Each structure stands twice: as structure tokens, then as C-alpha cells.
């Protein structure tokens, strides 16, 4: 298992795994990075190097998990990163999927049933994803931020009261892919369909990683803070 280190050049990370590009963007990093190392960039952008490495390594390796450093990460830094990820989904990925699906449907002359099923399923999925993310943005993250900034606990809640299953969001995306792979008729533009499926697959991978950060990093840190404050 390859683990990126602080002395690695950032360009090396991108050559090894270009899927990290949107992850870097969430930290405000854009290209033109010359020979700067991870540590140089983090110092420049005032990002905690440990947190940055934990995020890129979690993304790069599914088995990697920063158990030891876990509790040293700032919940504010984590929620900031998670919010940037939500923005990326709604400002970039979802509009791209909308557009590709509309083009895919337009490219088909006869397969009204199969692609219509995909369309209905996709719209339903989008609604559920929206609700899930709204819940985090409006309830979960403000709860965590308030806990960290004001050291106050609300007797009515703990982080567990806000916890929502991620399995639903993950599984539905897989069902959607299956629907396309198995049940549409071969009456469509294959390049558009491939783009749609590839974008869905990348989204699925990104979402899984995102959920892992929420469940395995943000959640235990928040529970630890609650415990310290006497919950
Ligand atoms: Fe989220
Ligand atoms: Fe989530």
C-alpha cells in the first residue's frame, strides 16, 4: 500500500493518482505547483500537513486509516473540507450528470422505457442526496462547530442523534449503474453513455470516501469532544 509523505512532491501525487485533482481543489490548491512538496504547499496555504496527508491517503488507499492521528485533527478543518466536497457535488458533478443524461436520452430514438426508468431513478436519487447533504449542512456541521467554538453541549442532543445512514446513498448509486449496464436497449450514443457511467462511477468512489471521512473521522472526534465536556 503506497502512502504519501510530507516530503513527496505534490506533482508526484497527481501523476500517481489524477483522481486526487478535485481533492486538492477542495484545499484551494490549483496547478502550476512546480517542484513543491506536500509540506511546502501546506505551509503556503496554511493547511495542517497531517490532515492533508490523511485526506489524500484515505482517498488513495481504501485500507488506509489514520487511527493514531485521528483525534488531533481540527473538526473545523474537517467540516470545511466536507463542505467544499458538497459544493463540488452540487456545482460540478450533479450538473454534469444532468447534462449527460439529457444528452443520452436525446440520443436515443426508440428506447423510451429503459432510459426513462434511468431518468426517474436518477431524479429520485438526486432528491435523496440533496436531503442527506442538507441535513449535514443545516444540522450536523453547525452542531459540531458550535461544540468546538463554544464548548457548550445541548442536553437534548449528541452527535449520534444526527447520525444518518450512508448505506442508502451508496447503494442507490450502484443500483443506478446497474440499471444502465443491464437494462437499457442498445439504442443510444455510446460515447455519451460511457461518459455518464464513468462520471457516476467516479462520483460513487468520491462519495464513499466522503462518507468514510464523516463516519470514521468526524464522528469519533466529535464523540471525544462530547465525552470531554461530560456527555
Ligand atoms: Fe456529506
Ligand atoms: Fe454524509
Amino acid at each position: 500500500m503506497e502512502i504519501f509523505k510530507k516530503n513527496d512532491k505534490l506533482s508526484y501525487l497527481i501523476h500517481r493518482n489524477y483522481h486526487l485533482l478535485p481533492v486538492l481543489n477542495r484545499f484551494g490548491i490549483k496547478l502550476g505547483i512546480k517542484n513543491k512538496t506536500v509540506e511546502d504547499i501546506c505551509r503556503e496555504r496554511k493547511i495542517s500537513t497531517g490532515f492533508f496527508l490523511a485526506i489524500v491517503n484515505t482517498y488513495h488507499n481504501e485500507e488506509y486509516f489514520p487511527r493514531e492521528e485521528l483525534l488531533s485533527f481540527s473538526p473545523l478543518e474537517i467540516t470545511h473540507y466536507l463542505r467544499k466536497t458538497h459544493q463540488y457535488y452540487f456545482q460540478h458533478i450533479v450538473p454534469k450528470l444532468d447534462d449527460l443524461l439529457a444528452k443520452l436520452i436525446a440520443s436515443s430514438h426508440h428506447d423510451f422505457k429503459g432510459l426513462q426508468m434511468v431518468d426517474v431513478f436518477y431524479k429520485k436519487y438526486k432528491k435523496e442526496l440533496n436531503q442527506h447533504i442538507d441535513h449535514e449542512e443545516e444540522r450536523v456541521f453547525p452542531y459540531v462547530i458550535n461544540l468546538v467554538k463554544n464548548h457548550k453541549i445541548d442536553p437534548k442532543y449528541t452527535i449520534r442523534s444526527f447520525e444518518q445512514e450512508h448505506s442508502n446513498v451508496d447503494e442507490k448509486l450502484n443500483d443506478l449503474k446497474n440499471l444502465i449496464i443491464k437494462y437499457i436497449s442498445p439504442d443510444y450514443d455510446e460515447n455519451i453513455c460511457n461518459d455518464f457511467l464513468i462520471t457516476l462511477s467516479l462520483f460513487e468512489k468520491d462519495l464513499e470516501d466522503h462518507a468514510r471521512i464523516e463516519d470514521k473521522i468526524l464522528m469519533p472526534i466529535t464523540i471525544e469532544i462530547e465525552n470531554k465536556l461530560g456527555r
Side-chain angles (χ1 to χ4, degrees), residues 92-112 115-116 118-119 122-123 180 184-185 187-197 199:
H92 179 69
I93 296 285
V94 171
K96 187 173 171 185
L97 287 170
D98 287 349
D99 186 46
L100 285 169
L101 183 55
K103 283 185 181 144
L104 180 62
I105 292 171
S107 78
S108 169
H109 302 293
H110 305 289
D111 177 31
F112 300 113
L115 285 174
Q116 229 161 42
V118 171
D119 193 42
Y122 171 72
K123 289 203 170 99
I180 303 163
I184 60 172
S185 316
D187 164 38
Y188 59 83
D189 181 303
E190 60 263 47
N191 292 320
I192 300 174
C193 193
N194 294 350
D195 275 356
F196 185 62
L197 208 55
T199 310

Side-chain angles (χ1 to χ4, degrees), residues 75-76 142-155 222 224-231:
L76 300 180
Y143 172 82
V144 175
I145 292 167
N146 185 43
L147 199 67
V148 175
K149 285 195 172 160
N150 303 319
H151 307 287
K152 272 196 199 128
I153 38 178
D154 186 327
T222 310
E224 178 79 11
I225 299 171
E226 286 176 340
N227 288 343
K228 275 193 191 140
L229 290 171
R231 283 308 297 263

Side-chain angles (χ1 to χ4, degrees), residues 148-209:
V148 175
K149 285 195 172 160
N150 303 319
H151 307 287
K152 272 196 199 128
I153 38 178
D154 186 327
K156 291 199 289 289
Y157 301 111
T158 67
I159 186 72
R160 288 187 209 274
S161 31
F162 298 119
E163 204 175 356
Q164 276 195 344
E165 284 279 314
H166 279 114
S167 52
N168 224 5
V169 187
D170 293 345
E171 277 164 25
K172 289 248 166 81
L173 205 50
N174 198 47
D175 291 345
L176 179 59
K177 277 167 56 189
N178 241 333
L179 200 60
I180 303 163
I181 295 168
K182 293 187 182 169
Y183 301 110
I184 60 172
S185 316
D187 164 38
Y188 59 83
D189 181 303
E190 60 263 47
N191 292 320
I192 300 174
C193 193
N194 294 350
D195 275 356
F196 185 62
L197 208 55
I198 291 165
T199 310
L200 272 181
S201 304
L202 287 174
F203 185 34
E204 187 182 28
K205 154 95 179 74
D206 205 294
L207 263 178
E208 279 167 10
D209 181 71

Side-chain angles (χ1 to χ4, degrees), residues 82 85-86 89 132-133 136-137 141 166 207 210-211 214:
L82 293 170
T85 314
H86 291 166
Y89 295 159
H132 178 92
I133 288 181
E136 289 174 347
E137 294 270 340
F141 297 169
H166 279 114
L207 263 178
H210 180 79
E214 290 176 341

